[in-house]
Amino acid sequence: MARMSKRISNKITKTKEQQNAPKEQKKYGKDIWLILLIVINFLLLVTMWESLILAPISFATYLVLEIALVIMYANRHAKVSDNVREWLYKAQIFFMGIILLLFLYTVFAYIFG
């Protein structure tokens, strides 16, 4: 009987400790490289606007890359439901596939054209 009451009291104290445990602090600057890529890509789009308009495939590549990076950042940091998070992940993969296709088109056009 003493053994059972001891187990029960241990379980109660463990659950109380888990409830009162401090939550983990989020590490700031975790995605500093992602933020840096978003800023650099945005600056390239703004500063090279005139020359990118003349090459629509390059402009589309940079624009879709910016969209994919912003979706990736939103997927990591936005407080959304799991269903929305799944759709964001699918959109991210979709836009990365478009970037790959545009890149391959540019390479083939450069080699064979």
Side-chain angles (χ1 to χ4, degrees):
M1 190 70 161
R3 190 182 288 173
M4 290 298 277
S5 65
K6 192 173 187 180
R7 286 184 185 172
I8 292 171
S9 66
N10 283 341
K11 287 183 181 180
I12 291 172
T13 56
K14 285 181 182 177
T15 56
K16 285 183 180 178
E17 289 175 1
Q18 290 174 352
Q19 290 174 354
N20 295 334
K23 295 182 180 178
E24 292 183 23
Q25 295 284 336
K26 288 189 176 182
K27 294 181 181 178
Y28 294 104
K30 181 175 87 172
D31 288 332
I32 193 71
W33 293 110
L34 182 60
I35 295 169
L36 189 65
L37 281 174
I38 291 171
V39 169
I40 288 173
N41 194 37
F42 181 74
L43 290 175
L44 281 173
L45 276 171
V46 170
T47 57
M48 301 295 291
W49 183 264
E50 293 174 1
S51 63
L52 285 176
I53 290 295
L54 299 176
I57 299 296
S58 296
F59 177 71
T61 304
Y62 279 106
L63 187 65
V64 173
L65 177 62
E66 184 72 22
I67 293 169
L69 290 172
V70 169
I71 289 175
M72 186 184 305
Y73 185 81
N75 189 18
R76 290 185 180 187
H77 293 283
K79 294 181 182 178
V80 294
S81 67
D82 290 336
N83 191 21
V84 174
R85 191 171 301 277
E86 183 178 330
W87 279 102
L88 284 173
Y89 180 74
K90 288 178 183 178
Q92 173 184 337
I93 297 298
F94 173 74
F95 283 117
M96 286 183 188
I98 291 175
I99 294 167
L100 180 64
L101 290 175
L102 289 171
F103 176 73
L104 290 176
Y105 177 79
T106 304
V107 169
F108 285 130
Y110 181 76
I111 292 173
F112 299 117

